[in-house]
Amino acid sequence: MLEVKDATIKAGDRLLATRLSFMAEDGRLTCITGPEGSGKTALLRTLLGFLPVSEGYVSVDGELLTVSSAHAFRRMMVYLPQQMARLRHQLCPPEAPCHEAGERTFWASELSDVKPLVAAPASPLSPEEIVLLAEQTFERAADKPIVIADEPAALLPPLLAERMLSLLRRQVDAGKTVLIASRRPLLVGEADKIVELKRDIGI
């Protein structure tokens, strides 16, 4: 379970949310939604421990998550970024050097707010490859109880968006905490809980 309590979230001088409170519970699909620029991705970065709250707190199963403690909590999480091509290293066998190097590069780019540490832009994936990579990522992370996904169906046609929703629902059915950011009506409409952000004041 993830809990956000009375949180104020800022990105630089920009206020994204004030006194934001919600719980993403085990066995439920929670959807963060709102217009472009409302802070959905920033909120996910906060839940991953890359962006601090200036007031309030974030907790995982009742334990406080901070930027300094987040590395331990991230071992419990599987994350699908909006740019799924950044997960290409998941296609390598876990024992292969490309998998380990890719994992390090991926998290380094998340940790760097100023200069992302990505060697070169990855070529885009096809919609079919996006879904396949999501499937393989979930298979590799079957033991991780928290799923966080940023716009997982944004680039998918309707049939593949349904398939992505089915993948997410399987994680829910396994009792995991599943939290996504999405503006896609299909995903928003199928969520068990909706947290809506506003462009101007965050909530």
Side-chain angles (χ1 to χ4, degrees), residues 58-70:
V58 176
S59 67
V60 178
D61 292 338
E63 296 187 39
L64 194 64
L65 183 150
T66 66
V67 171
S68 59
S69 70

Side-chain angles (χ1 to χ4, degrees), residues 103-197:
E103 188 81 13
R104 285 200 305 269
T105 301
F106 173 77
W107 287 117
S109 68
E110 287 294 322
L111 283 163
S112 176
D113 289 322
V114 181
K115 296 179 180 178
L117 304 176
V118 179
S123 58
L125 298 173
S126 71
E128 292 80 6
E129 287 173 324
I130 289 173
V131 176
L132 177 61
L133 191 48
E135 288 176 340
Q136 295 182 350
T137 301
F138 286 143
E139 287 174 5
R140 287 180 180 272
D143 60 334
K144 296 188 178 184
I146 298 173
V147 174
I148 297 178
D150 192 358
E151 299 285 1
L155 301 176
L156 302 179
L159 285 178
L160 288 177
E162 291 273 7
R163 189 167 151 194
M164 180 66 78
L165 176 60
S166 177
L167 286 175
L168 293 167
R169 273 290 172 197
R170 276 187 234 159
Q171 306 304 304
V172 171
D173 292 343
K176 299 185 181 186
T177 296
V178 181
L179 187 142
I180 65 171
S182 182
R183 293 190 293 157
R184 186 96 181 229
L186 171 67
L187 271 63
V188 177
E190 290 293 325
D192 300 307
K193 177 182 288 187
I194 299 171
V195 179
E196 186 169 2
L197 303 181

Side-chain angles (χ1 to χ4, degrees), residues 66-108:
T66 66
V67 171
S68 59
S69 70
H71 66 282
F73 290 106
R74 282 195 290 272
R75 297 191 188 104
M76 303 166 58
M77 300 176 180
V78 55
Y79 174 50
L80 299 185
Q82 188 169 1
Q83 302 300 323
M84 283 287 288
R86 294 171 56 203
L87 289 181
R88 284 183 188 276
H89 61 276
Q90 298 282 21
L91 299 175
C92 302
E95 66 277 5
C98 65
H99 183 276
E100 184 178 349
E103 188 81 13
R104 285 200 305 269
T105 301
F106 173 77
W107 287 117

Side-chain angles (χ1 to χ4, degrees), residues 11-33:
D13 295 331
R14 185 177 169 218
L15 180 65
L16 298 174
T18 57
R19 300 190 64 80
L20 177 63
S21 295
F22 68 91
M23 284 197 302
E25 299 156 312
D26 299 344
R28 301 192 76 192
L29 175 61
T30 300
C31 181
I32 308 296
T33 193

